Amino acid sequence: MSVMDKLKQMLKGHEDQAGKGVDKAGDFVDSKTQGKYSSQVDTAQDKLKEQLGGDRGQEEQPPKS
C-alpha cells in the first residue's frame, strides 16, 4: 500500500478539512516566498486536492491576487 493510499484512507470523510489544510499550507508558502512561486503553488494545491478529494463540493474560488 502506497503512502498516498494510506493518506486517502485516513482522510476518508474529511475531504473538506484536507482541502482547507492544503489551501492554508499553500497560502503560508506564498507568504514566505512573497508570491514569487504563486503559480506553481496554486498548481500543486490543485493537484494535491484532486488526489485527496479535498475539492469536492467546493464552489469555484476566485483567482488569488
Side-chain angles (χ1 to χ4, degrees):
M1 183 177 274
S2 73
V3 173
M4 188 56 92
D5 290 336
K6 288 181 183 180
L7 280 173
K8 286 180 184 180
Q9 259 185 342
M10 288 180 2
L11 295 173
K12 193 171 190 173
H14 302 284
E15 292 87 2
D16 292 340
Q17 288 178 332
K20 288 177 185 178
V22 169
D23 285 336
K24 207 174 220 188
D27 293 343
F28 176 77
V29 171
D30 275 339
S31 72
K32 290 296 182 179
T33 60
Q34 298 172 347
K36 186 175 181 180
Y37 304 104
S38 62
S39 64
Q40 290 92 336
V41 170
D42 289 342
T43 302
Q45 284 176 311
D46 291 341
K47 289 185 184 226
L48 188 55
K49 286 194 293 187
E50 183 180 305
Q51 285 287 318
L52 297 176
D55 58 351
R56 291 183 190 158
Q58 290 183 356
E59 298 171 5
E60 185 80 17
Q61 295 180 348
K64 295 179 184 178
S65 47

